[in-house]
Amino acid sequence: GRVHEYITGKIARGEKLHFTLVDPDKPFTREGLEKTAKLMAEAGTDAFLIGGSIGVTPEEAGEAAGVLKETGLPVIVFPGNINCLTPRADAVLFMVLMNSNEPYYLMMAQVAAAPLVKKYGLEPLPTGYIVVYPDTAVSHMGRVQPIPVGKPEVVLAYALAGEMMGFKYIYLEAGSGSQQTVPPSFPAIVKKYTGLVTIVGGGIRSPEQAREMVKSGADVIVTGTIVEKDPELAVKIVKAVKSPQ
Ligand code: 1GP
C-alpha cells in the first residue's frame, strides 16, 4: 500500500495532512484545473481527492485524475458511487457509509465496486464514512441517519466498530458546502480512543477552523468548495494545517 504508507508515514512523523477535493462534475477546463492543482501542490497539500455525490462520469473522473497526477501527488478516488472509479487514480477511499439506512451504501456499492477496484489496480484505503448533518447532497443521496451534535460518544461507537472491523480510516463529514463544520469534539474523541487515521471535511472555510480541527485531533483536513471559490484562501488553509502553531 504505497498511498497508505505515504499517509501514515507523514502522520508518524508528526505531520498534519491536507487533501484537496476536486469534484469532476463541476465545470472545469484543463488549464483551470492544472493551475489550481499547481497552486495547491505548491502550498503544500498532501494529496488530491476526486469525487462527488451526483453527476460524475467515469470519463470526467479519469480526465481530472490525469491532470492532478501531473503534480506528482497521490490521487485518491473519494467515490459518491461506483461511477467515480477510474484506473487513472492511485487509490480509493474504500468506504462504508456507516450511518446510512440504505443497504446499497452499507454493502452493495462495495460489492459492485470491488471487482472494478481490483481490475483497475487501485489501492483500497478501508474507510468508515460518517455523515453528520441531514441537509446536504451526500446525506440525501446516502439516506443518512444524522449524528446528534452534542453526542460525540455516538461517533466514537461508530469509529470503534469500524476499527474492530478492520477499517484504517474514519472520515467525519459535514457535507460539501455545509454551513457548519463537524463539531471538533468528534475528531477529539475518535483520536483519543482509536488508532484510526481521522479525516475531517465539509464546511471548512477559514485557517482558524482548520487549525481548530487539527488541534482537536484530526489527522487530515479536506477542503473542496473553498478551493473552487477562493483559491488564495485555500492556500492559507493548507498553510494553517501544515504549521498549526
Ligand atoms: C466534502 O468534505 C468534503 O465531501 C469537502 O467539503 O466542499 O465544504 O470543503 P467542502
Side-chain angles (χ1 to χ4, degrees), residues 21 26 49 78 129 138 171-178 200-205 222-228:
L21 172 65
K26 305 270 165 67
L49 297 183
F78 172 40
Y129 189 43
V138 63
Y171 192 137
L172 306 174
E173 172 74 277
S176 188
S178 173
V200 173
I204 296 172
R205 296 199 195 90
V222 181
T223 54
T225 304
I226 202 71
V227 180
E228 289 160 31

Side-chain angles (χ1 to χ4, degrees), residues 78-98:
F78 172 40
N81 210 325
I82 61 172
N83 52 295
C84 296
L85 293 170
T86 168
R88 300 181 75 183
D90 301 297
V92 54
L93 294 182
F94 200 81
M95 307 195 298
V96 170
L97 178 43
M98 295 185 81

Side-chain angles (χ1 to χ4, degrees), residues 12 78 194 196 216:
F78 172 40
T194 78
L196 295 163
S216 304

Side-chain angles (χ1 to χ4, degrees), residues 30 59 61-67 69 75 86-90 120 122:
R30 195 185 165 85
E59 291 75 19
E63 207 180 313
V67 173
K69 278 193 83 161
V75 175
T86 168
R88 300 181 75 183
D90 301 297
Y120 290 168
L122 293 170

Side-chain angles (χ1 to χ4, degrees), residues 87-177:
R88 300 181 75 183
D90 301 297
V92 54
L93 294 182
F94 200 81
M95 307 195 298
V96 170
L97 178 43
M98 295 185 81
N99 62 325
S100 175
N101 288 319
E102 174 60 61
Y104 179 79
Y105 289 105
L106 294 171
M107 184 49 67
M108 294 319 291
Q110 296 79 357
V111 170
L116 305 186
V117 168
K118 191 139 185 91
K119 270 190 204 170
Y120 290 168
L122 293 170
E123 177 185 338
L125 306 173
T127 304
Y129 189 43
I130 299 171
V131 175
V132 175
Y133 300 116
D135 54 353
T136 61
V138 63
S139 58
H140 178 82
M141 296 304 286
R143 291 193 57 190
V144 157
Q145 177 154 304
I147 307 286
V149 291
K151 298 278 179 194
E153 63 270 29
V154 173
V155 148
L156 176 61
Y158 277 96
L160 285 169
E163 187 171 49
M164 289 173 192
M165 287 189 280
F167 296 164
K168 300 282 186 248
Y169 298 78
I170 195 97
Y171 192 137
L172 306 174
E173 172 74 277
S176 188

Side-chain angles (χ1 to χ4, degrees), residues 1-8 10 17-24 45-52 56 61-62 64-69 71-81 84-95 117 121-127 169 171 197 199 220-222:
R2 287 182 53 202
V3 176
H4 180 66
E5 274 170 28
Y6 168 84
I7 294 168
T8 52
K10 281 179 178 256
L17 281 73
H18 177 273
F19 290 174
T20 299
L21 172 65
V22 172
D23 183 348
T45 198
D46 296 284
F48 291 96
L49 297 183
I50 48 171
V56 180
V67 173
L68 298 171
K69 278 193 83 161
T71 59
L73 293 173
V75 175
I76 305 166
V77 178
F78 172 40
N81 210 325
C84 296
L85 293 170
T86 168
R88 300 181 75 183
D90 301 297
V92 54
L93 294 182
F94 200 81
M95 307 195 298
V117 168
L122 293 170
E123 177 185 338
L125 306 173
T127 304
Y169 298 78
Y171 192 137
V197 174
I199 307 173
V220 183
I221 300 296
V222 181

